[in-house]
Amino acid sequence: MNRWFSCCCGELGYVQCSELNDSSVIQGFSNQKAGNMALHTGESLERVMANHRRFLRCLGLEDYPLIAGYQVHGTRVALVDGSYPGKSVMDVADLIPETDGLITREPGLALAVFMADCMPIFFYDPRTPAIGIAHAGWRGTLHEISRITLEAMVEAFGTNPADCRIGLGPAICGKCFQVGDELADIFNEKYPDAVRREDNGTFVDLAAVNTMILQQAGVPQSAIVQSNICTICHSEPFFSYRATKTTGRMMGVIALRGGCHVVST
Ligand SMILES: [Zn+2]
């Protein structure tokens, strides 16, 4: 059974992790047909905001403030609490500085990450309930943004990793992510099972690395759901920075249902 599946909403498409779907959570990852979601790539703000609204409306998140970080391939995780309601990303200036992970237990807030080839990681603790989302490229993966985001939930909410369900979203796959010798050696030292040496080069499977990290942090393997969807070689239309040097980015978003926060304009 494929535990990630494609959805469409008119022309627009997205994928969802079925393991995270329940009455408390809304989540999804946009595809290229939903348009560019990034605020920092020079496309007109009106166009990007229209793409945000269209995608969020499909998910039923149109009234949820959108909270996101200015991603720097780092490991800083922001706790999004009651001080955020009423704020929403309308411009680069509204992004939380130097932040690649977001967590909250506040209903009615949409936490978002933006990427093209990097991996969106969706966290759901149904017992608390609480959620998180992280942007994990190879740097973030190597510096364990997945573990750090989970541990931020443990510290802030008392989350038990054994309760969590985690979705590893579409990203560059282990057949496409070719690395140089230096990076191969670094990954090989810590995660040899995720490194594959072929005649034409060395390849790293970021989903496998993040799965190992999360398992070591206490999440059951059965609760970690890889999408097996590659932004380069999968037939689904995704933006890929590596393949096309695109300026487009997709959005991964997750929210706890409910709340009544009004977006200020
Ligand atoms: Zn691939």
Side-chain angles (χ1 to χ4, degrees), residues 80-192:
V80 180
D81 60 17
S83 65
Y84 282 88
K87 298 178 184 175
S88 190
V89 171
M90 300 285 181
D91 200 348
V92 174
D94 299 318
L95 297 167
I96 303 170
E98 297 188 6
T99 294
D100 288 82
L102 302 158
I103 60 170
T104 194
R105 68 189 302 179
E106 191 86 21
L109 298 176
L111 309 183
V113 289
F114 305 99
M115 58 254 305
D117 297 335
C118 291
M119 178 170 289
I121 307 184
F122 298 76
F123 299 76
Y124 178 33
D125 159 15
R127 187 180 291 260
T128 302
I131 53 170
I133 196 162
H135 159 252
W138 69 261
R139 289 186 191 84
T141 296
L142 199 55
H143 294 122
E144 303 194 359
I145 180 78
S146 53
R147 177 184 58 77
I148 291 166
T149 305
L150 182 67
E151 286 180 353
M153 293 175 69
V154 172
E155 188 173 328
F157 313 132
T159 290
N160 180 351
D163 293 332
C164 288
R165 306 179 204 164
I166 297 185
L168 305 181
I172 188 169
C173 81
K175 293 191 181 77
C176 291
F177 185 40
Q178 186 170 7
V179 298
D181 291 343
E182 196 179 334
L183 196 53
D185 289 346
I186 292 170
F187 273 103
N188 194 49
E189 194 172 317
K190 291 179 82 175
Y191 314 104

